């Protein structure tokens, strides 16, 4: 579990920094001051190169301490780049506000001097970050790191039963997805697809469960079924699970065609909702085979898929993509407190609350990381141990059995 937390944390850092590199504030800062915007492009390319090695490094760091050190170095340079981009955004906003509201000549002179001083350091700091990133990426051959290794679990466990009161920060997301499910599709397609897309650990499966169990959704559809797909995209297995789920019967058919015919007749004229959870396969032709018996369903039938890949979403056709974002700091704290303090009076643990809030901020709004840390800390009440965790990398935690 510690490795999953680390993966989610570093993935969050990469996603954040990619968003900030292309943000209007950063781009405007470079264009408006005629700085070398090629440096931004080089930094983005270098970060992409490092990101391509991340999955393999996350696997190998468990047994290779050199790879673990490599990840530490990578994290440090990413945080440094993130800090610089934040400073650029802040400085751009400050200079714009000074220019808009500054009235006196002295204020304008101070603003010009301050901005010019900051500009001189930006390019130098980016060059330093680029050099460090280049060195880090060049170590891949020495460490045996491979590009594009997919970091998927060996076995995806079925989604656990969900208690809605235990979920924090997803009310708005649930409302949006439910609205899409209950709406009529204005296109000619009988079936429409809603893809919940986001990084690992952000809560895609949890959101899909909230929607799947909603009372309005239950009443709206004649048939509902949940299929956990994961990396093993076996068409026969998926189709068989769909048939057995909607009929509540065992199926001894071993022929895919006969199985699809049975599923087609079972769905005939019925408005259904299927959830395909944790989808990785990006092959359009395979998805076309899976979908073929579903066309017999009634208009208004819906499919939800949860995936990390936007390509998967696009391959489904007639698809609305819902990009799931991290939860807020306050919702992070509420989730953490539920799991650590068992929803009892927080005043009884006032010495831990401040440290706990700082720990939660390290999780970058990822529910998986928060729950993993909470699972470790729920039996710990020593503030010094909490501080020790606060001051160490969360992916280096060796969670107790």
């Amino acid at each position: 579990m510690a490795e999953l937390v680390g993966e989610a944390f570093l993935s969050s850092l990469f996603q954040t920094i990619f968003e900030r590199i292309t943000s209007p504030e950063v781009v405007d800062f470079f264009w408006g001051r005629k700085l070398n915007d090629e440096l931004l492009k080089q930094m983005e390319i270098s970060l992409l190169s490092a990101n391509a090695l991340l999955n393999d490094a996350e696997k190998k760091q468990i047994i290779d301490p050199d790879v673990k050190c490599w990840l530490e170095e990578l994290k440090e340079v990413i945080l440094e780049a993130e800090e610089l981009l934040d400073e650029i955004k802040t400085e751009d906003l400050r200079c714009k506000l000074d220019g808009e509201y500054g009235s006196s000549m002295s204020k304008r002179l101070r603003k010009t001097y301050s901005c010019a001083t900051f500009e001189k350091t930006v390019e130098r700091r980016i060059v330093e970050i680029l050099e460090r990133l280049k060195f880090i990426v060049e170590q891949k051959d020495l460490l045996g790191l491979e590009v594009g290794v997919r970091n998927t679990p060996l076995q995806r466990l079925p989604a656990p039963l969900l208690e809605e009161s235990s979920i924090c920060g997803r009310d708005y997301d649930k409302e949006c997805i439910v609205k899409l499910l209950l709406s009529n599709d204005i296109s000619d397609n009988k079936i429409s697809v809603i893809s919940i897309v986001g990084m690992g650990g952000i809560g895609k499966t949890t959101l899909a469960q909230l929607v799947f169990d909603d009372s309005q959704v239950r009443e709206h559809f004649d048939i509902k079924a949940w299929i956990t797909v994961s990396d093993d995209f076996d068409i026969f297995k998926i189709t068989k699970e769909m048939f057995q789920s909607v009929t509540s019967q065992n199926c001894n058919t071993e022929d895919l065609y006969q199985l699809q015919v049975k599923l087609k007749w079972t769905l005939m004229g019925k408005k259904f909702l299927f959830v395909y959870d944790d989808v990785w396969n990006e092959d359009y032709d395979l998805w076309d085979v899976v979908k073929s018996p579903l066309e017999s369903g009634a208009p208004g039938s819906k499919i939800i898929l949860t995936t990390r890949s936007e390509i998967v979403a696009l391959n489904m056709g007639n698809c609305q993509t819902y990009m799931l974002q991290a939860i807020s700091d306050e919702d992070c704290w509420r989730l953490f407190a539920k799991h650590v303090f068992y929803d009892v009076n927080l005043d009884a643990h006032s010495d831990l609350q401040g440290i706990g809030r700082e720990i939660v901020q390290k999780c970058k709004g990822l529910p998986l990381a928060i729950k993993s840390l909470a699972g470790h800390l729920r039996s710990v009440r020593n503030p010094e141990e909490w501080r020790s965790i606060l001051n160490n990398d969360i992916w280096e935690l060796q969670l107790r059995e």
Side-chain angles (χ1 to χ4, degrees):
M1 184 61 75
E3 286 71 34
L4 287 176
V5 174
E7 175 198 352
F9 182 77
L10 269 176
S11 296
S12 173
L13 283 179
F14 271 111
Q15 178 168 305
T16 299
I17 202 166
F18 288 138
E19 290 173 353
R20 291 180 185 176
I21 285 177
T22 56
S23 68
E25 295 88 351
V26 172
V27 173
D28 288 348
F29 184 88
F30 271 75
W31 277 85
R33 291 155 182 79
K34 295 183 173 56
L35 299 178
N36 184 4
D37 62 331
E38 282 297 319
L39 291 174
L40 278 182
K41 296 176 184 176
Q42 290 177 32
M43 185 161 69
E44 184 175 15
I45 291 170
S46 295
L47 287 166
L48 286 168
S49 299
N51 191 33
L53 301 167
L54 180 61
N55 287 343
D56 195 32
E58 288 288 354
K59 289 181 178 179
K60 291 177 177 175
Q61 60 130 350
I62 302 170
I63 58 174
D64 190 335
D66 291 333
V67 175
K68 197 170 187 178
C69 291
W70 184 89
L71 281 170
E72 170 66 19
E73 292 291 328
L74 178 59
K75 185 213 70 168
E76 287 184 6
V77 74
I78 293 173
L79 288 173
E80 184 178 335
E82 182 184 36
E83 181 181 1
L84 174 59
L85 293 172
D86 280 342
E87 290 178 21
I88 291 173
K89 291 178 68 173
T90 302
E91 184 66 14
D92 182 68
L93 177 61
R94 190 189 68 78
C95 290
K96 286 177 179 177
L97 290 174
D98 284 349
E100 183 175 352
Y101 297 108
S103 56
S104 68
M105 178 62 72
S106 62
K107 283 185 179 179
R108 287 195 293 271
L109 286 173
R110 285 198 301 272
K111 182 259 304 185
T112 302
Y113 176 77
S114 175
C115 290
T117 303
F118 179 72
E119 290 164 18
K120 289 179 181 178
T121 68
V122 168
E123 290 187 344
R124 174 181 57 78
R125 290 171 66 185
I126 290 182
V127 169
E128 291 173 356
I129 289 170
L130 282 172
E131 290 176 352
R132 290 183 63 190
L133 280 171
K134 182 181 178 182
F135 176 78
I136 288 170
V137 173
E138 285 176 349
Q139 303 309 303
K140 66 181 178 65
D141 293 331
L142 184 64
L143 296 171
L145 298 178
E146 298 179 10
V147 172
V149 174
R150 293 173 65 176
N151 195 10
T152 59
L154 295 176
Q155 181 181 9
R156 169 80 171 195
L157 296 176
L161 295 176
L162 193 68
E163 177 59 48
E164 187 165 354
S165 62
S166 68
I167 307 303
C168 299
R170 292 303 183 201
D171 292 343
Y172 175 75
D173 300 301
K174 176 189 173 183
E175 182 181 337
C176 290
I177 301 297
V178 169
K179 188 175 181 180
L180 290 173
L181 288 176
L182 302 182
S183 65
N184 293 320
D185 188 4
I186 60 175
S187 70
D188 294 331
N189 295 283
K190 284 186 179 180
I191 307 168
S192 58
V193 182
I194 301 163
S195 294
I196 302 174
V197 181
M199 72 178 72
I202 203 167
K204 302 180 293 295
T205 298
T206 298
L207 176 58
Q209 286 179 288
L210 285 173
V211 171
F212 191 77
D213 294 335
D214 181 78
S215 58
Q216 295 181 81
V217 172
R218 283 200 302 266
E219 294 173 3
H220 186 75
F221 294 97
D222 303 315
I223 295 174
K224 291 167 57 204
W226 182 290
I227 300 94
T228 301
V229 180
S230 294
D231 198 38
D232 181 20
F233 196 86
D234 185 325
I235 295 176
F236 181 84
K237 179 182 176 183
I238 293 171
T239 306
K240 186 174 182 178
E241 285 187 22
M242 291 162 61
F243 178 78
Q244 292 183 158
S245 182
V246 299
T247 63
S248 299
Q249 299 174 3
N250 289 327
C251 177
N252 297 320
T253 302
E254 297 298 328
D255 180 78
L256 177 61
Y257 176 76
Q258 293 180 16
L259 185 58
Q260 287 189 315
V261 170
K262 286 186 175 183
L263 180 60
K264 176 181 177 180
W265 282 104
T266 301
L267 299 178
M268 185 73 69
K270 303 284 182 62
K271 186 186 292 186
F272 63 79
L273 168 64
F274 285 153
V275 175
Y276 298 106
D277 183 38
D278 192 37
V279 179
W280 291 82
N281 188 277
E282 297 177 347
D283 189 323
Y284 172 79
D285 292 331
L286 292 180
W287 270 115
D288 207 33
V289 175
V290 170
K291 287 171 57 182
S292 59
L294 310 185
E295 297 297 333
S296 64
S301 294
K302 299 288 200 303
I303 292 173
I304 294 177
L305 16 120
T306 71
T307 179
R308 302 185 190 188
S309 169
E310 289 186 70
I311 297 174
V312 169
L314 293 172
N315 279 346
M316 290 299 289
N318 190 35
C319 180
Q320 301 179 74
T321 299
Y322 190 87
M323 299 299 299
L324 190 59
Q325 304 300 319
I327 60 177
S328 69
D329 288 345
E330 192 55 37
D331 286 323
C332 286
W333 171 247
R334 287 174 55 220
L335 179 62
F336 181 81
K338 278 177 181 287
H339 286 272
V340 171
F341 302 122
Y342 310 97
D343 258 347
V344 298
N345 184 10
L346 293 183
D347 292 337
H349 306 286
S350 57
D351 56 332
L352 298 175
Q353 288 191 50
I355 310 170
R357 286 184 179 273
E358 290 186 68
I359 290 174
V360 164
Q361 287 182 351
K362 284 191 172 186
C363 296
K364 299 289 183 179
L366 296 174
L368 172 63
I370 295 164
K371 290 168 70 176
S372 298
L373 281 169
H376 173 66
L377 292 171
R378 65 189 305 162
S379 60
V380 179
R381 291 293 181 265
N382 185 338
E384 291 306 315
E385 289 192 48
W386 282 46
R387 287 194 185 91
S388 177
I389 289 170
L390 174 62
N391 295 324
N392 283 276
D393 300 315
I394 61 173
W395 54 84
E396 291 183 2
L397 286 175
Q398 298 302 312
L399 301 187
R400 297 171 184 168
E401 292 295 332

